[in-house]
Amino acid sequence: MKKVLVTGSSGLLGGKLVKVLHDEYEVVPTHNTESLFHGSIRMDIVDGDEVSRVIEESSPDIVVHAAAETNVDKCETNKDWAWSVNVLGTKNVAEACVKFGAKLIFISTDYVFDGSKGLYREDDEANPINHYGLTKLKGEELVRGYCQDSTIVRPSVVYGWHTRKLNFATWVIDSLRNRKRIPVAEDHYNSPTLADDLSEIISLMIKRKLCGVYHTAGAERASRYEFALKIAETFGLDRSLISPVRMVDVGAWIALRPRDSSLCVDKIKRIGIGPSDLSAALKRMKEQIGCSTNPSFI
Ligand SMILES: NC(=O)c1ccc[n+]([C@@H]2O[C@H](COP(=O)([O-])OP(=O)(O)OC[C@H]3O[C@@H](n4cnc5c(N)ncnc54)[C@H](OP(=O)(O)O)[C@@H]3O)[C@@H](O)[C@H]2O)c1
């Protein structure tokens, strides 16, 4: 049985990956601050010696590198910190993969694009407009430089049930359940990606031994406002609590956001790995309610 090491298993995507890959692989979950899985190994990706030791000792065939500093505003205000996690951390993982012979799958982001065009293809030019996007693009370049047969996947607005922190969808659900009014940008477009779908797509990509860059987002482009309305509709919540605002009026943001970083998923579809549309993905999320381990999100 092949062995897959997952970085960031305490995160939203990493946790789903551990569960999905568990059926077919020997999975080695790793975490930084909190272990969510029995047998998870502490591996701070910033610590090169620790990364090298853990990857040497666990000797994986494949490493799925999902760990990152994902807080876009924190990346903007703590640029050195973001660089150490997303760039140097990725360099440490890539170096260890080369040294110990593991294939690397790097999770990147739609935020490598500037958002001026939308429905980006894999070969469109990247031009990040915030520090988070820049660090992820540098991560991609390092991965390509170090690991010849690597795979780079770019999702967009990853959402789903998670025990540790809110994501866009769980924030909307939580707010509406608590009858809180929420302002949501109507001119900010992405391709919302259900973490469960994404982890299954990555599992299929491993099976098919795919290399190169793939956009692995949800099948539909939507504004955050449209996405929030769809969430309210699916979960039977009060949509009148959602107010459309312009991106420039979202006061809480520190970093710039790409206006339209939606992704074209034709490449992955052409090889028969079809991402779900928004309604199907949200329906799937709703069906999982009984399985959620965090009642505050239900
Ligand atoms: N969320 C999105 O909307 C989105 C969109 C596009 C792409 N992505 C990419 O998808 C991947 C997964 O995102 P996510 O939403 O699942 O992230 P998340 O829930 O924020 O989880 C991030 C994970 O990274 C780990 N991590 C952070 N610093 C670390 C360090 N120094 N050493 C080891 N692990 C560290 C965290 O561990 P601890 O919490 O234990 O520190 C956590 O497990 C990321 O690469 C992200 O860039 C995310």
Side-chain angles (χ1 to χ4, degrees):
M1 195 183 242
K2 290 214 169 189
K3 202 189 259 191
V4 184
L5 182 144
V6 177
T7 72
S9 72
S10 46
L12 170 61
L13 175 62
K16 303 281 184 188
L17 275 166
V18 171
K19 287 179 193 150
V20 165
L21 295 172
H22 190 257
D23 290 340
E24 290 183 68
Y25 302 94
E26 185 182 341
V27 181
V28 181
T30 66
H31 64 275
N32 185 29
T33 53
E34 193 186 347
S35 159
L36 294 188
F37 295 96
H38 179 70
S40 181
I41 301 170
R42 166 124 209 275
M43 186 176 90
D44 177 359
I45 58 169
V46 176
D47 181 341
D49 291 339
E50 188 164 83
V51 172
S52 182
R53 181 181 50 75
V54 171
I55 294 188
E56 181 178 21
E57 284 174 5
S58 51
S59 187
D61 300 286
I62 297 147
V63 171
V64 185
H65 178 30
E69 178 49 70
T70 57
N71 183 320
V72 175
D73 292 320
K74 187 174 168 194
C75 288
E76 207 65 25
T77 51
N78 295 272
K79 288 196 164 109
D80 292 345
W81 164 250
W83 193 268
S84 67
V85 178
N86 293 352
V87 182
L88 304 181
T90 297
K91 179 169 175 270
N92 290 335
V93 173
E95 274 179 344
C97 284
V98 173
K99 197 166 165 194
F100 302 111
K103 178 189 160 63
L104 177 57
I105 299 177
F106 175 57
I107 315 300
S108 187
T109 173
D110 55 334
Y111 273 25
V112 297
F113 296 112
D114 62 20
S116 57
K117 177 175 99 73
L119 291 174
Y120 287 94
R121 292 179 180 274
E122 285 78 355
D123 53 4
D124 278 329
E125 198 182 333
N127 181 33
I129 59 167
N130 58 38
H131 194 66
Y132 168 73
L134 177 69
T135 60
K136 295 295 288 186
L137 180 62
K138 289 287 165 200
E140 286 192 9
E141 289 166 5
L142 279 164
V143 166
R144 256 187 239 115
Y146 276 95
C147 316
Q148 302 265 305
D149 65 343
S150 58
T151 309
I152 293 170
V153 305
R154 295 185 184 136
S156 167
V157 198
V158 182
Y159 67 96
W161 300 117
H162 186 48
T163 52
R164 283 181 76 210
K165 64 174 195 190
L166 295 173
N167 47 73
F168 183 79
T170 53
W171 169 73
V172 170
I173 294 166
D174 218 33
S175 305
L176 301 188
R177 285 203 169 131
N178 289 308
R179 305 282 315 150
K180 209 172 130 196
R181 291 193 174 278
I182 48 169
V184 181
E186 60 180 350
D187 53 349
H188 184 204
Y189 289 85
N190 313 89
S191 301
T193 312
L194 183 66
D196 308 74
D197 281 355
L198 177 56
S199 45
E200 285 166 8
I201 287 172
I202 292 169
S203 175
L204 279 170
M205 293 175 80
I206 293 175
K207 213 176 282 172
R208 304 247 193 116
K209 298 187 170 63
L210 299 183
C211 299
V213 183
Y214 287 88
H215 288 173
T216 54
E220 257 176 89
R221 168 184 180 270
S223 73
R224 291 289 178 124
Y225 180 63
E226 289 162 346
F227 184 27
L229 291 182
K230 202 114 193 173
I231 293 167
E233 183 192 311
T234 308
F235 286 83
L237 297 165
D238 183 357
R239 55 183 276 155
S240 72
L241 294 167
I242 308 166
S243 325
V245 292
R246 311 290 295 171
M247 284 175 81
V248 288
D249 297 322
V250 180
W253 287 346
I254 296 165
L256 286 173
R257 264 68 170 172
R259 189 186 56 78
D260 185 348
S261 55
S262 55
L263 299 174
C264 169
V265 291
D266 286 355
K267 184 177 175 187
I268 197 86
K269 269 193 190 157
R270 270 199 302 274
I271 48 176
I273 304 180
S276 311
D277 64 30
L278 203 46
S279 300
L282 284 172
K283 190 163 168 263
R284 180 174 184 192
M285 187 180 169
K286 189 176 179 215
E287 284 163 4
Q288 292 169 340
I289 279 185
C291 311
S292 172
T293 48
N294 188 338
S296 72
F297 293 166
I298 300 174

